[in-house]
Amino acid sequence: MSLDLSIVIPLYNEEESLPELVAWIEKVCTANNFSREIIMIDDGSTDDSWQVVEKLTAEFASVRGIKFQRNYGKSPALHEGFKAASGNVIITMDADLQDSPDEIPELYSMIVNDGFDLVSGWKKVRYDNAVTKNLPSKLYNGVNRRLTGIKLHDMNCGLKAYKRKVVKSIEVYGEMHRFIPVLAKYAGFKKIGEKVVQHRARKYGSSKFGWERFINGFLDLLSIQFVSRFGKKPMHLFGAMGSFTFLIGFFFTMSLIIDKIRFGDNFSITNKPAFYLSLTAMVVGTLFFLTGFLAELITRNAADRNVYLMDEKIGWDN
Ligand code: UDP
Ligand code: MG
């Protein structure tokens, strides 16, 4: 029998919060009769977080720990937690007590009973710094909704629930933890929902992310969009851009040549803006093309060029 729940908690220097967090999760899960495991990933903490995790594993049978050699980031921590998770439903939450374990039963039921693939928390009322966090977050989520077509108000909420299949199908690397719903959507999971969740002010320790997250996040979003659309066929993008730019240059060059033929010595090519425009356009167009060819060579050699996620296969003898 597999476990009902895997609760995955990435943590970095959160020693004060952990005992309270685990006790609270245990209380909620016991009250709801969930069989569970609590997977704590210590992302290279420099305080006593790992000692606290060790103590908690001795105290509670459900607690498991993974420790990184150094600080790698929230995404690698989540990825490792997802690999280790064996529950039917996976719930992620932050370690800092900003997310409430009281949300667990409802999130679980949305996955199991309402058939959601992924449910993201929505911190409708937020207790973070208004200027560095809340306002940029609103803008950012708006852009996100537009670009990805995923209608979530709070894509980066740490509190989320997943079907097991979802976390086993995606790879959260770099700083992609901000875009897990996007990764899930591109992996073919369509039923993505959200639930308004309580948010609390940070009780201990300090936030690990500042305003830079929005710049990095935006760049990551562009990368995701690019890779998911053109990752396996980069020439379709660069070839199109290259042809278009090159043709503009070619068109202007032709018109200059025709004018030269018509007007002879009275026509100077080099003092026409079109001359410089066409020169630049043809060079840039060629560069786009070369970039496309290089990108094709890289993707042809990529180890995962032929990796697909198989949903089911029937009628095979073995
Ligand atoms: N975290 C982590 N590795 C890092 C940074 C953060 O595992 O390099 C964890 C952190 O301990 C917390 C969660 O990710 O459990 C969210 O971080 P934080 O609370 O600092 O973010 P905020 O709530 O301020 O957005
Ligand atoms: Mg936090």
Side-chain angles (χ1 to χ4, degrees):
M1 271 296 287
S2 60
L3 296 168
D4 296 328
L5 265 180
S6 295
I7 295 154
V8 172
I9 306 174
L11 60 107
Y12 178 53
N13 294 346
E14 309 279 7
E15 55 182 5
E16 303 100 325
S17 312
L18 302 179
E20 205 172 319
L21 179 69
V22 170
W24 191 354
I25 294 174
E26 278 291 315
K27 193 183 81 190
V28 172
C29 287
T30 309
N32 288 273
N33 258 329
F34 291 136
S35 58
R36 72 268 179 186
E37 60 182 351
I38 303 177
I39 303 177
M40 315 195 81
I41 305 100
D42 179 353
D43 183 13
S45 296
T46 50
D47 65 358
D48 284 339
S49 292
W50 183 246
Q51 282 80 336
V52 177
V53 171
E54 281 179 328
K55 242 194 272 159
L56 289 167
T57 52
E59 196 176 332
F60 298 96
S62 59
V63 176
R64 292 163 199 173
I66 296 174
K67 180 174 163 47
F68 283 174
Q69 297 255 20
R70 66 165 171 87
N71 180 235
Y72 281 95
K74 190 175 177 183
S75 292
L78 283 174
H79 185 65
E80 215 42 53
F82 286 163
K83 269 194 346 207
S86 64
N88 285 327
V89 173
I90 299 7
I91 291 187
T92 58
M93 54 176 19
D94 289 352
D96 54 4
L97 291 164
Q98 289 198 271
D99 300 325
S100 161
D102 289 339
E103 307 285 354
I104 292 175
E106 178 68 16
L107 287 170
Y108 179 83
S109 147
M110 286 177 80
I111 301 285
V112 173
N113 302 322
D114 306 339
F116 281 99
D117 293 316
L118 185 166
V119 179
S120 180
W122 171 14
K123 297 165 293 213
K124 203 168 179 181
V125 182
R126 250 186 109 157
Y127 298 92
D128 280 319
N129 186 305
V131 180
T132 58
K133 282 265 173 89
N134 302 359
L135 188 72
S137 167
K138 279 216 169 101
L139 276 171
Y140 180 69
N141 275 296
V143 172
N144 245 325
R145 278 198 292 278
R146 264 291 172 84
L147 284 178
T148 63
I150 300 175
K151 304 279 170 257
L152 292 181
H153 292 87
D154 189 8
M155 171 116 29
N156 188 16
C157 183
L159 182 56
K160 288 190 170 61
Y162 309 84
K163 272 193 185 134
R164 176 172 46 208
K165 206 166 161 190
V166 177
V167 306
K168 300 294 183 190
S169 307
I170 57 177
E171 191 176 356
V172 194
Y173 63 97
E175 299 200 2
M176 293 302 182
H177 60 268
R178 302 196 179 97
F179 304 106
I180 297 182
V182 183
L183 298 174
K185 183 186 165 186
Y186 290 148
F189 297 99
K190 296 193 188 72
K191 221 171 159 208
I192 296 177
E194 81 185 333
K195 173 183 186 311
V196 174
V197 294
Q198 296 174 40
H199 187 237
R200 294 140 40 98
R202 218 180 214 282
K203 200 162 161 190
Y204 310 103
S206 59
S207 172
K208 313 298 183 292
F209 300 102
W211 57 270
E212 342 69 73
R213 64 159 53 165
F214 297 105
I215 299 170
N216 298 339
F218 184 67
L219 295 175
D220 282 345
L221 178 61
L222 293 183
S223 305
I224 287 199
Q225 296 280 89
F226 170 73
V227 172
S228 67
R229 284 185 64 187
F230 299 107
K232 300 237 156 114
K233 45 180 167 53
M235 197 56 178
H236 290 197
L237 176 69
F238 293 110
M241 293 196 324
S243 312
F244 180 71
T245 321
F246 189 89
L247 280 177
I248 290 177
F250 186 73
F251 169 78
F252 278 112
T253 309
M254 278 303 148
S255 79
L256 286 170
I257 290 174
I258 290 168
D259 283 348
K260 184 71 185 170
I261 292 170
R262 280 171 61 200
F263 304 114
D265 286 347
N266 296 327
F267 184 81
S268 161
I269 288 183
T270 48
N271 66 7
K272 298 282 176 301
F275 172 70
Y276 298 97
L277 198 71
S278 58
L279 210 65
T280 315
M282 283 167 77
V283 171
V284 170
T286 311
L287 287 179
F288 275 141
F289 249 103
L290 290 177
T291 309
F293 282 131
L294 283 179
E296 284 289 332
L297 286 179
I298 292 169
T299 51
R300 297 282 120 154
N301 285 306
D304 68 346
R305 65 188 175 276
N306 256 338
V307 173
Y308 320 109
L309 294 167
M310 219 76 84
D311 201 9
E312 272 171 51
K313 240 179 147 183
I314 53 168
W316 297 77
D317 291 338
N318 46 41

